[in-house]
Amino acid sequence: MHTLNDFPEFASIPLITQRFNISRSRIYRMLSQGDIQAVKVGRSTRIVTRSVEAYFARLPRLGEVA
């Protein structure tokens, strides 16, 4: 398991699904909606890890008063 310190800046989709416990289809949906960012390296897609972290930081917290 990767810790935050050694997790790559650009990660493969399988690695992102593992790290953030979200499905592959959800990742592609987030990409198409512009919620997260990715780059292409040849035929491979690499997710910008900070964009996923930023996405989760923007989500409302349960029980939080607005």
Side-chain angles (χ1 to χ4, degrees):
M1 180 60 103
H2 290 275
T3 63
L4 287 176
N5 293 337
D6 70 355
F7 203 77
E9 183 178 354
F10 301 96
S12 66
I13 290 174
L15 198 55
I16 293 291
T17 62
Q18 240 182 353
R19 166 70 176 86
F20 293 97
N21 196 29
I22 52 180
S23 70
R24 181 180 181 89
S25 60
R26 179 67 184 147
I27 290 172
Y28 280 109
R29 198 172 322 127
M30 292 165 71
L31 283 168
S32 69
Q33 293 172 343
D35 294 329
I36 62 173
Q37 300 171 342
V39 296
K40 290 296 275 187
V41 181
R43 293 176 48 194
S44 299
T45 301
R46 295 289 182 253
I47 306 298
V48 179
T49 303
R50 288 179 196 232
S51 71
V52 181
E53 293 168 346
Y55 170 79
F56 278 105
R58 290 190 305 268
L59 293 175
R61 305 292 185 244
L62 293 176
E64 194 174 88
V65 179

